[in-house]
Amino acid sequence: MSFSHEHWMQRAIQLAQQAADEDEVPVGAVIVKDNQLIAEGWNQPIQSHDPSAHAEMMAIRNAGQFLNNYRLIDTTMYVTLEPCSMCVGAMIHARVKHLVFGASDLKTGATGSAINLIHDPIHNHKIEVTGGVMETECREVLQAFFKQKRQKK
């Protein structure tokens, strides 16, 4: 059975909601290999006191443990928000094959929205990128979270 990008992005959106429920910025990520979920992550920097605990980084760490390897060859990462430069750098080092993201991030997105680190020709590893998958749904989770934050002030 083969799952679509939307199937895996829906799971990432559920993880983003989990982050929101924990009062973290709602970003969720999953990593898939051979059409099987191998790792998940959601934003946790506030509760873990770790600025590197982005959803993507948590998923990469979990995938490495699952595969017993720091190389995530032939994997696809699904994430609800365009990754930042830290997360793109980790994906390049881990050799993620394909990145699929939902909403663009005009402030820190490193696949072309703010900077284009992922396509810099200096890197020896190239990652396929598909953006805008379930973009509206991903953006709505973020907007609802920040709207609620502003109302609490």
Side-chain angles (χ1 to χ4, degrees):
M1 175 184 246
S2 182
F3 293 107
S4 66
H5 287 330
E6 289 77 13
H7 171 83
W8 297 116
M9 188 61 74
Q10 187 59 49
R11 179 61 188 146
I13 290 169
Q14 291 170 351
L15 295 166
Q17 191 56 58
Q18 181 171 339
D21 293 346
E22 295 173 7
D23 210 27
E24 298 275 2
V25 174
V27 178
V30 299
I31 298 179
V32 174
K33 182 177 174 76
D34 299 326
N35 210 36
Q36 286 191 304
L37 178 67
I38 64 166
E40 302 179 330
W42 59 92
N43 267 5
Q44 301 174 47
I46 298 167
Q47 66 183 352
S48 67
H49 309 290
D50 178 358
S52 71
H54 288 193
E56 302 94 323
M57 299 296 287
M58 303 307 291
I60 287 170
R61 291 172 187 156
N62 292 332
Q65 292 299 307
F66 180 85
L67 295 174
N68 201 29
N69 195 332
Y70 75 109
R71 297 286 196 215
L72 307 181
I73 306 298
D74 294 325
T75 60
T76 299
M77 176 180 288
Y78 293 85
V79 62
T80 57
L81 182 64
E82 180 182 3
C84 71
S85 57
M86 173 183 67
C87 296
V88 163
M91 283 183 251
I92 291 168
H93 286 289
R95 305 299 193 260
V96 169
K97 181 178 181 178
H98 190 182
L99 165 66
V100 180
F101 70 88
S104 296
D105 185 344
L106 300 177
K107 293 183 180 179
T108 64
T111 71
S113 293
I115 60 172
N116 199 350
L117 179 63
I118 205 162
H119 294 114
D120 192 311
I122 197 166
H123 302 301
N124 62 336
H125 177 69
K126 306 299 181 211
I127 298 175
E128 299 169 36
V129 178
T130 303
V133 173
M134 297 183 71
E135 182 175 7
T136 300
E137 295 88 337
C138 292
R139 184 177 294 112
E140 285 172 353
V141 172
L142 286 157
Q143 288 174 336
F145 176 80
F146 287 112
K147 181 179 180 182
Q148 180 186 16
K149 284 285 200 193
R150 286 189 300 275
Q151 289 173 346
K152 285 184 178 179
K153 286 184 176 181

